[in-house]
Amino acid sequence: MTSPTEEVQRGLQDVVALESRICFIDGKQGRLIYNGYDIRDLASKSNFEEVAYLLWYGRLPTTDQLATLRHHLIELRELPAAMAERIDSMPAGSNPMDILRTAVSELALFEPEETRPGPSSIGGAQRLTAVLPSIVGQFHRRRAGLPRLGTRPDLSHAGYLLYALLDREPTELESRVLDVALVLHADHELNASTFSARVTASTLSDLYSAVTSAVGTLKGPLHGGANERVMELLEEIGTPDRAEEVVKAKLSRHERIMGFGHRVYKVEDPRATILREWSRRIGEAKGDLHYYELLRKVEEVVHHEKGLYPNVDLYSGSVYGLLGIPTDLFTPVFATSRVAGWTAHVLEEYQDLRLIRPSAKYIGPTDLPYVPIKARV
Ligand code: COA
Protein backbone atom coordinates (compact mmCIF):
# COMPACT_ATOMS: atom_id res chain seq x y z
CA MET A 1 0.00 0.00 0.00
CA THR A 2 1.32 3.45 -0.91
CA SER A 3 1.43 6.17 1.73
CA PRO A 4 -0.69 9.26 1.03
CA THR A 5 1.11 12.20 -0.52
CA GLU A 6 1.51 15.08 1.92
CA GLU A 7 0.78 17.71 -0.71
CA VAL A 8 -2.82 18.89 -0.60
CA GLN A 9 -4.46 19.57 -3.97
CA ARG A 10 -7.22 21.92 -2.91
CA GLY A 11 -10.46 21.11 -4.68
CA LEU A 12 -8.63 18.03 -6.06
CA GLN A 13 -7.39 20.36 -8.79
CA ASP A 14 -5.28 18.52 -11.40
CA VAL A 15 -5.69 15.22 -9.56
CA VAL A 16 -6.25 12.37 -12.01
CA ALA A 17 -8.68 10.19 -10.04
CA LEU A 18 -9.58 7.43 -12.50
CA GLU A 19 -9.50 6.22 -16.11
CA SER A 20 -12.56 6.83 -18.26
CA ARG A 21 -13.50 6.24 -21.90
CA ILE A 22 -16.50 8.57 -21.79
CA CYS A 23 -15.29 12.12 -22.08
CA PHE A 24 -12.09 14.02 -22.77
CA ILE A 25 -11.54 17.73 -22.19
CA ASP A 26 -8.52 19.36 -23.75
CA GLY A 27 -8.40 22.49 -21.62
CA LYS A 28 -5.53 24.04 -23.56
CA GLN A 29 -6.97 23.54 -27.03
CA GLY A 30 -10.56 24.14 -25.95
CA ARG A 31 -11.81 20.76 -27.17
CA LEU A 32 -14.50 18.53 -25.72
CA ILE A 33 -14.77 14.93 -26.90
CA TYR A 34 -17.45 12.35 -26.09
CA ASN A 35 -16.18 8.82 -26.75
CA GLY A 36 -13.92 10.05 -29.53
CA TYR A 37 -16.35 12.50 -31.19
CA ASP A 38 -15.77 16.24 -31.14
CA ILE A 39 -18.58 18.23 -29.50
CA ARG A 40 -18.67 20.57 -32.52
CA ASP A 41 -19.61 17.67 -34.79
CA LEU A 42 -22.10 16.28 -32.30
CA ALA A 43 -23.73 19.69 -31.77
CA SER A 44 -24.14 20.31 -35.49
CA LYS A 45 -24.96 16.78 -36.72
CA SER A 46 -26.28 14.70 -33.83
CA ASN A 47 -29.09 14.88 -31.27
CA PHE A 48 -29.57 14.19 -27.57
CA GLU A 49 -30.86 10.61 -27.91
CA GLU A 50 -27.94 9.62 -30.15
CA VAL A 51 -25.47 11.20 -27.73
CA ALA A 52 -27.06 9.37 -24.78
CA TYR A 53 -26.59 6.11 -26.70
CA LEU A 54 -22.97 7.05 -27.39
CA LEU A 55 -22.28 7.78 -23.72
CA TRP A 56 -23.92 4.57 -22.49
CA TYR A 57 -22.66 2.13 -25.12
CA GLY A 58 -19.43 3.79 -26.25
CA ARG A 59 -20.38 3.91 -29.95
CA LEU A 60 -22.83 5.73 -32.21
CA PRO A 61 -26.04 3.79 -32.83
CA THR A 62 -27.22 2.35 -36.15
CA THR A 63 -30.61 3.55 -37.46
CA ASP A 64 -32.36 0.57 -35.82
CA GLN A 65 -30.55 0.96 -32.53
CA LEU A 66 -31.44 4.65 -32.35
CA ALA A 67 -35.08 3.96 -33.23
CA THR A 68 -35.25 1.31 -30.50
CA LEU A 69 -33.73 3.64 -27.92
CA ARG A 70 -36.05 6.52 -28.86
CA HIS A 71 -39.05 4.23 -28.59
CA HIS A 72 -37.86 2.92 -25.23
CA LEU A 73 -37.23 6.40 -23.81
CA ILE A 74 -40.75 7.46 -24.82
CA GLU A 75 -42.22 4.35 -23.17
CA LEU A 76 -40.34 5.16 -19.98
CA ARG A 77 -41.51 8.78 -19.87
CA GLU A 78 -44.60 8.30 -17.80
CA LEU A 79 -44.41 8.81 -14.04
CA PRO A 80 -46.13 6.28 -11.78
CA ALA A 81 -49.51 7.84 -10.90
CA ALA A 82 -48.63 7.82 -7.20
CA MET A 83 -45.38 9.64 -7.95
CA ALA A 84 -47.19 12.34 -9.95
CA GLU A 85 -49.50 12.79 -6.97
CA ARG A 86 -46.52 13.01 -4.64
CA ILE A 87 -45.03 15.79 -6.80
CA ASP A 88 -48.38 17.59 -6.74
CA SER A 89 -48.37 17.43 -2.96
CA MET A 90 -44.90 18.97 -2.56
CA PRO A 91 -44.84 22.69 -1.64
CA ALA A 92 -45.44 24.66 -4.85
CA GLY A 93 -42.92 27.32 -3.80
CA SER A 94 -40.05 24.83 -3.48
CA ASN A 95 -36.73 25.17 -5.23
CA PRO A 96 -37.18 22.96 -8.34
CA MET A 97 -33.81 21.30 -7.71
CA ASP A 98 -35.05 20.22 -4.27
CA ILE A 99 -38.10 18.73 -5.97
CA LEU A 100 -35.93 16.96 -8.54
CA ARG A 101 -33.56 15.55 -5.92
CA THR A 102 -36.45 14.35 -3.75
CA ALA A 103 -38.35 12.89 -6.71
CA VAL A 104 -35.33 10.95 -8.03
CA SER A 105 -34.77 9.55 -4.57
CA GLU A 106 -38.46 8.69 -4.10
CA LEU A 107 -38.78 7.12 -7.53
CA ALA A 108 -36.48 4.36 -6.30
CA LEU A 109 -39.22 3.32 -3.86
CA PHE A 110 -41.55 2.73 -6.80
CA GLU A 111 -38.96 0.84 -8.85
CA PRO A 112 -37.03 -1.44 -6.51
CA GLU A 113 -36.02 -3.79 -9.32
CA GLU A 114 -34.00 -0.95 -10.92
CA THR A 115 -31.95 -0.31 -7.82
CA ARG A 116 -29.59 -3.30 -7.94
CA PRO A 117 -26.12 -1.94 -8.67
CA GLY A 118 -24.30 -3.49 -11.62
CA PRO A 119 -24.54 -3.74 -15.44
CA SER A 120 -28.34 -4.10 -15.28
CA SER A 121 -28.39 -0.48 -14.12
CA ILE A 122 -28.60 0.48 -17.82
CA GLY A 123 -32.37 -0.01 -17.29
CA GLY A 124 -32.34 2.55 -14.49
CA ALA A 125 -30.12 4.87 -16.57
CA GLN A 126 -32.68 4.93 -19.37
CA ARG A 127 -35.60 5.18 -17.00
CA LEU A 128 -34.12 8.18 -15.15
CA THR A 129 -33.11 9.90 -18.39
CA ALA A 130 -36.61 9.42 -19.81
CA VAL A 131 -38.42 10.53 -16.69
CA LEU A 132 -36.49 13.62 -15.59
CA PRO A 133 -38.33 15.93 -18.06
CA SER A 134 -41.61 14.50 -16.74
CA ILE A 135 -40.65 15.33 -13.13
CA VAL A 136 -39.54 18.87 -13.98
CA GLY A 137 -42.56 19.35 -16.26
CA GLN A 138 -45.03 17.96 -13.74
CA PHE A 139 -43.77 20.23 -10.96
CA HIS A 140 -43.81 23.31 -13.17
CA ARG A 141 -47.27 22.58 -14.60
CA ARG A 142 -48.74 22.05 -11.19
CA ARG A 143 -47.37 25.35 -9.83
CA ALA A 144 -48.49 27.14 -13.00
CA GLY A 145 -52.00 25.67 -12.69
CA LEU A 146 -51.65 23.67 -15.94
CA PRO A 147 -53.25 20.25 -16.50
CA ARG A 148 -51.30 16.98 -16.03
CA LEU A 149 -48.85 16.05 -18.70
CA GLY A 150 -49.56 13.48 -21.45
CA THR A 151 -46.68 11.34 -22.80
CA ARG A 152 -46.62 12.81 -26.36
CA PRO A 153 -44.84 9.90 -28.12
CA ASP A 154 -44.31 12.06 -31.20
CA LEU A 155 -41.91 14.41 -29.38
CA SER A 156 -38.15 14.05 -28.84
CA HIS A 157 -36.57 14.41 -25.40
CA ALA A 158 -35.97 18.13 -26.06
CA GLY A 159 -39.35 18.69 -27.73
CA TYR A 160 -41.20 16.99 -24.88
CA LEU A 161 -39.42 19.02 -22.24
CA LEU A 162 -40.31 22.25 -24.04
CA TYR A 163 -43.90 21.14 -24.57
CA ALA A 164 -44.17 20.33 -20.85
CA LEU A 165 -42.79 23.70 -19.79
CA LEU A 166 -44.39 25.98 -22.38
CA ASP A 167 -47.72 24.15 -22.64
CA ARG A 168 -47.69 24.53 -26.41
CA GLU A 169 -46.13 22.93 -29.49
CA PRO A 170 -42.48 24.01 -29.71
CA THR A 171 -41.37 25.21 -33.13
CA GLU A 172 -38.73 23.24 -35.02
CA LEU A 173 -36.14 25.90 -34.25
CA GLU A 174 -37.00 25.95 -30.53
CA SER A 175 -36.71 22.15 -30.28
CA ARG A 176 -33.44 22.18 -32.20
CA VAL A 177 -31.90 24.90 -30.01
CA LEU A 178 -32.78 23.03 -26.84
CA ASP A 179 -31.60 19.76 -28.37
CA VAL A 180 -28.19 21.34 -29.11
CA ALA A 181 -28.01 22.66 -25.53
CA LEU A 182 -28.79 19.17 -24.20
CA VAL A 183 -26.08 17.64 -26.42
CA LEU A 184 -23.58 20.19 -25.08
CA HIS A 185 -24.49 19.52 -21.44
CA ALA A 186 -24.72 15.71 -21.57
CA ASP A 187 -21.30 15.05 -20.09
CA HIS A 188 -18.20 16.83 -18.89
CA GLU A 189 -15.72 14.34 -17.50
CA LEU A 190 -15.25 14.47 -13.72
CA ASN A 191 -17.21 17.64 -13.02
CA ALA A 192 -18.39 17.92 -9.41
CA SER A 193 -21.81 16.30 -9.85
CA THR A 194 -20.48 13.40 -11.93
CA PHE A 195 -17.72 12.86 -9.42
CA SER A 196 -20.24 12.75 -6.60
CA ALA A 197 -22.30 10.20 -8.58
CA ARG A 198 -19.18 8.07 -9.03
CA VAL A 199 -18.23 8.37 -5.35
CA THR A 200 -21.69 7.10 -4.39
CA ALA A 201 -21.56 4.28 -6.96
CA SER A 202 -18.06 3.32 -5.82
CA THR A 203 -19.51 2.20 -2.48
CA LEU A 204 -21.63 -0.27 -4.51
CA SER A 205 -24.66 1.85 -3.78
CA ASP A 206 -27.37 1.95 -6.46
CA LEU A 207 -27.79 4.20 -9.48
CA TYR A 208 -30.75 6.12 -8.03
CA SER A 209 -28.69 7.02 -4.96
CA ALA A 210 -25.82 8.09 -7.21
CA VAL A 211 -28.09 10.33 -9.30
CA THR A 212 -29.63 11.77 -6.13
CA SER A 213 -26.12 12.74 -4.98
CA ALA A 214 -25.42 14.25 -8.39
CA VAL A 215 -28.59 16.36 -8.44
CA GLY A 216 -27.71 17.79 -5.00
CA THR A 217 -24.22 18.65 -6.22
CA LEU A 218 -25.41 20.21 -9.47
CA LYS A 219 -27.64 22.58 -7.49
CA GLY A 220 -24.70 24.70 -6.28
CA PRO A 221 -24.10 28.10 -7.93
CA LEU A 222 -20.47 27.28 -8.67
CA HIS A 223 -21.67 24.36 -10.81
CA GLY A 224 -25.14 24.04 -12.38
CA GLY A 225 -26.62 27.14 -10.79
CA ALA A 226 -24.29 29.60 -12.55
CA ASN A 227 -26.53 30.29 -15.56
CA GLU A 228 -29.35 31.44 -13.28
CA ARG A 229 -26.91 33.90 -11.71
CA VAL A 230 -25.90 35.11 -15.17
CA MET A 231 -29.52 36.14 -15.74
CA GLU A 232 -29.51 38.04 -12.42
CA LEU A 233 -26.36 39.82 -13.57
CA LEU A 234 -28.01 40.76 -16.88
CA GLU A 235 -31.04 42.11 -15.00
CA GLU A 236 -28.71 44.19 -12.84
CA ILE A 237 -26.77 45.56 -15.82
CA GLY A 238 -29.87 46.32 -17.89
CA THR A 239 -28.27 47.95 -20.93
CA PRO A 240 -24.86 47.38 -22.63
CA ASP A 241 -23.64 50.88 -21.73
CA ARG A 242 -23.82 49.93 -18.01
CA ALA A 243 -21.86 46.66 -18.39
CA GLU A 244 -18.43 48.15 -17.74
CA GLU A 245 -19.48 50.01 -14.60
CA VAL A 246 -21.34 47.06 -13.05
CA VAL A 247 -18.68 44.45 -13.88
CA LYS A 248 -15.82 46.64 -12.67
CA ALA A 249 -17.63 47.36 -9.40
CA LYS A 250 -18.16 43.62 -8.82
CA LEU A 251 -14.55 42.81 -9.58
CA SER A 252 -13.34 45.54 -7.24
CA ARG A 253 -15.40 43.86 -4.49
CA HIS A 254 -13.71 40.54 -5.46
CA GLU A 255 -17.04 39.12 -6.57
CA ARG A 256 -17.10 36.36 -9.18
CA ILE A 257 -18.70 37.08 -12.51
CA MET A 258 -20.89 34.09 -13.23
CA GLY A 259 -20.44 32.40 -16.59
CA PHE A 260 -16.69 33.05 -16.68
CA GLY A 261 -13.66 30.96 -15.79
CA HIS A 262 -13.30 27.23 -15.64
CA ARG A 263 -11.27 24.72 -13.69
CA VAL A 264 -10.18 22.87 -16.83
CA TYR A 265 -10.51 25.20 -19.83
CA LYS A 266 -7.76 27.77 -20.08
CA VAL A 267 -9.19 29.09 -23.33
CA GLU A 268 -12.79 29.56 -24.39
CA ASP A 269 -15.10 26.70 -23.46
CA PRO A 270 -16.13 25.23 -26.88
CA ARG A 271 -19.69 24.90 -25.61
CA ALA A 272 -19.80 28.67 -25.07
CA THR A 273 -18.66 29.22 -28.66
CA ILE A 274 -21.50 27.06 -29.98
CA LEU A 275 -24.16 28.48 -27.66
CA ARG A 276 -23.13 32.07 -28.44
CA GLU A 277 -24.09 31.43 -32.05
CA TRP A 278 -27.37 29.77 -31.07
CA SER A 279 -28.11 32.64 -28.70
CA ARG A 280 -27.77 35.00 -31.67
CA ARG A 281 -29.89 32.76 -33.92
CA ILE A 282 -32.75 32.33 -31.48
CA GLY A 283 -32.52 36.03 -30.59
CA GLU A 284 -32.88 36.94 -34.28
CA ALA A 285 -35.78 34.53 -34.72
CA LYS A 286 -37.58 36.04 -31.73
CA GLY A 287 -36.65 39.60 -32.76
CA ASP A 288 -34.84 40.11 -29.45
CA LEU A 289 -31.06 40.48 -29.46
CA HIS A 290 -31.02 42.23 -26.11
CA TYR A 291 -29.37 39.34 -24.18
CA TYR A 292 -26.94 38.61 -26.97
CA GLU A 293 -25.72 42.21 -27.21
CA LEU A 294 -25.48 42.55 -23.45
CA LEU A 295 -23.50 39.33 -23.12
CA ARG A 296 -21.09 40.35 -25.88
CA LYS A 297 -20.37 43.54 -23.97
CA VAL A 298 -19.94 41.71 -20.64
CA GLU A 299 -17.53 39.29 -22.35
CA GLU A 300 -15.47 42.19 -23.65
CA VAL A 301 -15.24 43.85 -20.24
CA VAL A 302 -14.47 40.66 -18.26
CA HIS A 303 -11.81 39.61 -20.75
CA HIS A 304 -10.23 43.04 -20.66
CA GLU A 305 -10.31 43.31 -16.86
CA LYS A 306 -9.50 39.73 -15.80
CA GLY A 307 -8.44 37.84 -18.95
CA LEU A 308 -11.21 35.31 -18.25
CA TYR A 309 -13.07 33.39 -20.96
CA PRO A 310 -16.77 32.53 -20.99
CA ASN A 311 -17.92 29.08 -19.94
CA VAL A 312 -21.04 27.19 -21.07
CA ASP A 313 -23.25 28.96 -18.54
CA LEU A 314 -22.76 32.41 -19.99
CA TYR A 315 -24.96 31.82 -23.02
CA SER A 316 -27.14 28.90 -21.91
CA GLY A 317 -29.26 31.14 -19.68
CA SER A 318 -30.00 33.57 -22.49
CA VAL A 319 -30.96 30.69 -24.78
CA TYR A 320 -33.30 29.20 -22.18
CA GLY A 321 -34.71 32.63 -21.36
CA LEU A 322 -35.52 33.28 -25.02
CA LEU A 323 -37.17 29.86 -25.23
CA GLY A 324 -39.49 31.00 -22.44
CA ILE A 325 -38.09 28.64 -19.79
CA PRO A 326 -38.44 30.14 -16.29
CA THR A 327 -35.07 31.04 -14.75
CA ASP A 328 -35.44 28.73 -11.74
CA LEU A 329 -35.75 25.78 -14.14
CA PHE A 330 -32.40 26.35 -15.87
CA THR A 331 -30.53 23.98 -13.56
CA PRO A 332 -33.23 21.28 -13.70
CA VAL A 333 -33.07 21.53 -17.52
CA PHE A 334 -29.30 21.04 -17.26
CA ALA A 335 -30.01 17.90 -15.18
CA THR A 336 -32.34 16.47 -17.85
CA SER A 337 -29.28 16.30 -20.09
CA ARG A 338 -26.43 15.59 -17.65
CA VAL A 339 -28.33 12.57 -16.33
CA ALA A 340 -27.10 10.72 -19.44
CA GLY A 341 -23.49 11.45 -18.45
CA TRP A 342 -24.02 10.73 -14.75
CA THR A 343 -25.53 7.35 -15.50
CA ALA A 344 -22.86 6.47 -18.11
CA HIS A 345 -20.20 7.20 -15.48
CA VAL A 346 -22.01 5.14 -12.85
CA LEU A 347 -22.16 2.19 -15.27
CA GLU A 348 -18.46 2.63 -15.97
CA GLU A 349 -17.76 2.74 -12.23
CA TYR A 350 -19.59 -0.57 -11.73
CA GLN A 351 -17.43 -2.17 -14.43
CA ASP A 352 -14.16 -1.18 -12.81
CA LEU A 353 -15.12 -0.55 -9.24
CA ARG A 354 -12.76 0.81 -6.65
CA LEU A 355 -14.00 2.58 -3.54
CA ILE A 356 -13.26 6.31 -3.95
CA ARG A 357 -11.85 7.38 -0.65
CA PRO A 358 -9.11 10.04 -0.65
CA SER A 359 -7.22 11.18 2.45
CA ALA A 360 -7.11 14.48 4.31
CA LYS A 361 -4.03 16.15 5.68
CA TYR A 362 -4.81 16.52 9.35
CA ILE A 363 -3.96 19.98 10.66
CA GLY A 364 -5.51 19.77 14.16
CA PRO A 365 -3.98 18.81 17.48
CA THR A 366 -3.56 15.17 18.52
CA ASP A 367 -2.82 15.16 22.27
CA LEU A 368 -5.52 17.22 23.97
CA PRO A 369 -6.37 16.00 27.48
CA TYR A 370 -10.08 15.04 27.85
CA VAL A 371 -11.78 17.55 30.19
CA PRO A 372 -14.92 16.41 32.04
CA ILE A 373 -17.96 18.44 30.91
CA LYS A 374 -18.47 20.22 34.24
CA ALA A 375 -14.88 21.41 34.23
CA ARG A 376 -15.13 23.00 30.75
CA VAL A 377 -15.37 26.77 30.34
N1 COA B 1 -15.06 35.99 -11.87
C1 COA B 1 -14.04 36.68 -11.32
N2 COA B 1 -12.85 36.12 -11.03
C2 COA B 1 -12.70 34.81 -11.30
C3 COA B 1 -13.72 34.05 -11.88
C4 COA B 1 -14.93 34.70 -12.16
N3 COA B 1 -15.94 34.03 -12.72
N4 COA B 1 -13.28 32.79 -12.06
C5 COA B 1 -12.04 32.76 -11.59
N5 COA B 1 -11.69 33.97 -11.15
C6 COA B 1 -10.41 34.38 -10.61
C7 COA B 1 -10.33 34.06 -9.12
O1 COA B 1 -10.80 35.10 -8.31
C8 COA B 1 -8.86 33.83 -8.97
O2 COA B 1 -8.21 35.09 -8.97
P1 COA B 1 -7.01 35.39 -7.98
O3 COA B 1 -5.95 34.39 -8.39
O4 COA B 1 -6.69 36.81 -8.24
O5 COA B 1 -7.55 35.11 -6.61
C9 COA B 1 -8.45 33.15 -10.27
O6 COA B 1 -9.42 33.58 -11.24
C10 COA B 1 -8.48 31.63 -10.18
O7 COA B 1 -9.74 31.23 -9.69
P2 COA B 1 -10.01 29.85 -9.00
O8 COA B 1 -11.21 29.96 -8.11
O9 COA B 1 -8.76 29.33 -8.36
O10 COA B 1 -10.32 28.93 -10.20
P3 COA B 1 -11.15 27.62 -10.10
O11 COA B 1 -10.56 26.69 -11.08
O12 COA B 1 -11.29 27.12 -8.73
O13 COA B 1 -12.59 28.15 -10.53
C11 COA B 1 -14.76 28.23 -11.22
C12 COA B 1 -13.41 27.60 -11.44
C13 COA B 1 -15.68 27.74 -12.33
C14 COA B 1 -15.33 27.77 -9.86
C15 COA B 1 -14.64 29.76 -11.24
O14 COA B 1 -14.10 30.19 -12.45
C16 COA B 1 -15.95 30.45 -10.95
O15 COA B 1 -16.32 30.63 -9.79
N6 COA B 1 -16.70 30.85 -12.03
C17 COA B 1 -17.98 31.45 -11.85
C18 COA B 1 -19.04 30.36 -11.68
C19 COA B 1 -19.34 29.68 -12.97
O16 COA B 1 -19.49 30.30 -14.00
N7 COA B 1 -19.47 28.35 -12.89
C20 COA B 1 -19.80 27.52 -14.02
C21 COA B 1 -18.65 26.65 -14.41
S1 COA B 1 -19.00 25.76 -15.91
Side-chain angles (χ1 to χ4, degrees):
M1 186 165 163
T2 52
S3 56
T5 157
E6 281 299 297
E7 202 183 328
V8 175
Q9 300 290 346
R10 291 191 69 233
L12 299 184
Q13 177 154 7
D14 298 330
V15 171
V16 179
L18 48 87
E19 288 184 340
S20 176
R21 60 150 183 84
I22 300 171
C23 182
F24 171 56
I25 305 172
D26 183 338
K28 290 197 187 105
Q29 305 283 335
R31 291 188 74 202
L32 171 60
I33 313 282
Y34 295 166
N35 278 285
Y37 297 94
D38 194 297
I39 197 66
R40 286 172 283 226
D41 279 341
L42 294 172
S44 61
K45 298 173 188 154
S46 186
N47 54 67
F48 176 76
E49 287 84 345
E50 187 172 72
V51 163
Y53 188 102
L54 175 66
L55 296 172
W56 289 325
Y57 297 100
R59 57 181 191 278
L60 287 171
T62 62
T63 307
D64 285 352
Q65 287 165 337
L66 182 59
T68 305
L69 178 65
R70 278 187 199 281
H71 182 69
H72 195 48
L73 290 175
I74 288 165
E75 276 181 344
L76 294 172
R77 230 170 229 178
E78 199 167 344
L79 282 166
M83 189 71 220
E85 277 164 31
R86 285 282 304 135
I87 293 174
D88 285 353
S89 70
M90 291 174 189
S94 305
N95 179 316
M97 284 301 278
D98 291 338
I99 299 287
L100 190 59
R101 190 193 57 239
T102 307
V104 168
S105 180
E106 277 202 29
L107 196 61
L109 307 178
F110 293 85
E111 300 176 349
E113 70 285 3
E114 296 293 357
T115 57
R116 276 185 299 277
S120 67
S121 296
I122 183 70
Q126 295 178 354
R127 169 59 164 159
L128 281 176
T129 301
V131 89
L132 251 57
S134 311
I135 296 173
V136 177
Q138 176 65 32
F139 171 66
H140 176 66
R141 294 176 73 85
R142 179 267 176 135
R143 71 179 184 177
L146 297 168
R148 280 261 172 94
L149 200 54
T151 52
R152 289 298 305 263
D154 54 319
L155 294 177
S156 67
H157 191 78
Y160 182 63
L161 183 57
L162 270 182
Y163 159 74
L165 300 181
L166 306 181
D167 195 40
R168 65 166 171 79
E169 293 298 314
T171 66
E172 214 170 288
L173 177 71
E174 287 171 334
S175 293
R176 179 64 190 139
V177 179
L178 186 62
D179 192 49
V180 170
L182 298 184
V183 166
L184 297 178
H185 285 86
D187 197 50
H188 212 227
E189 200 224 38
L190 281 195
N191 59 91
S193 57
T194 302
F195 189 58
S196 72
R198 286 193 81 133
V199 169
T200 304
S202 85
T203 69
L204 254 187
S205 185
D206 65 283
L207 179 108
Y208 283 56
S209 298
V211 172
T212 305
S213 302
V215 174
T217 309
L218 184 70
K219 184 184 170 195
L222 294 188
H223 187 9
N227 56 7
E228 296 182 21
R229 306 296 161 95
V230 171
M231 297 310 277
E232 286 167 17
L233 174 71
L234 296 189
E235 290 302 316
E236 186 182 340
I237 295 175
T239 49
D241 57 307
R242 281 189 20 88
E244 189 162 354
E245 179 196 332
V246 175
V247 168
K248 277 185 172 171
K250 283 186 179 299
L251 290 175
S252 70
R253 294 192 298 268
H254 301 287
E255 283 178 32
R256 297 210 163 202
I257 311 297
M258 293 292 145
F260 289 89
H262 199 273
R263 176 62 64 81
V264 184
Y265 294 115
K266 299 305 164 209
V267 293
E268 181 163 290
D269 179 338
R271 300 167 302 170
T273 317
I274 296 165
L275 276 180
R276 182 191 290 116
E277 180 55 16
W278 280 102
S279 170
R280 189 187 60 75
R281 271 199 229 180
I282 188 80
E284 273 173 3
K286 302 257 177 200
D288 180 0
L289 285 168
H290 171 71
Y291 287 139
Y292 177 76
E293 282 161 5
L294 209 46
L295 285 168
R296 292 298 283 162
K297 185 67 192 167
V298 173
E299 264 193 77
E300 190 189 307
V301 178
V302 174
H303 191 72
H304 183 259
E305 296 298 315
K306 284 291 275 188
L308 288 166
Y309 293 97
N311 61 49
V312 67
D313 287 307
L314 190 70
Y315 282 95
S316 61
S318 65
V319 167
Y320 298 156
L322 284 167
L323 286 175
I325 298 174
T327 308
D328 69 347
L329 296 184
F330 290 179
T331 315
V333 166
F334 184 165
T336 65
S337 160
R338 183 58 57 85
V339 65
W342 291 332
T343 52
H345 278 269
V346 168
L347 289 165
E348 190 178 59
E349 189 63 40
Y350 289 149
Q351 273 168 22
D352 185 20
L353 192 125
R354 174 135 174 99
L355 177 71
I356 299 174
R357 201 290 186 203
S359 302
K361 179 176 179 176
Y362 181 63
I363 54 167
T366 55
D367 295 311
L368 295 180
Y370 184 82
V371 181
I373 194 159
K374 287 192 177 142
R376 291 176 209 157
V377 284

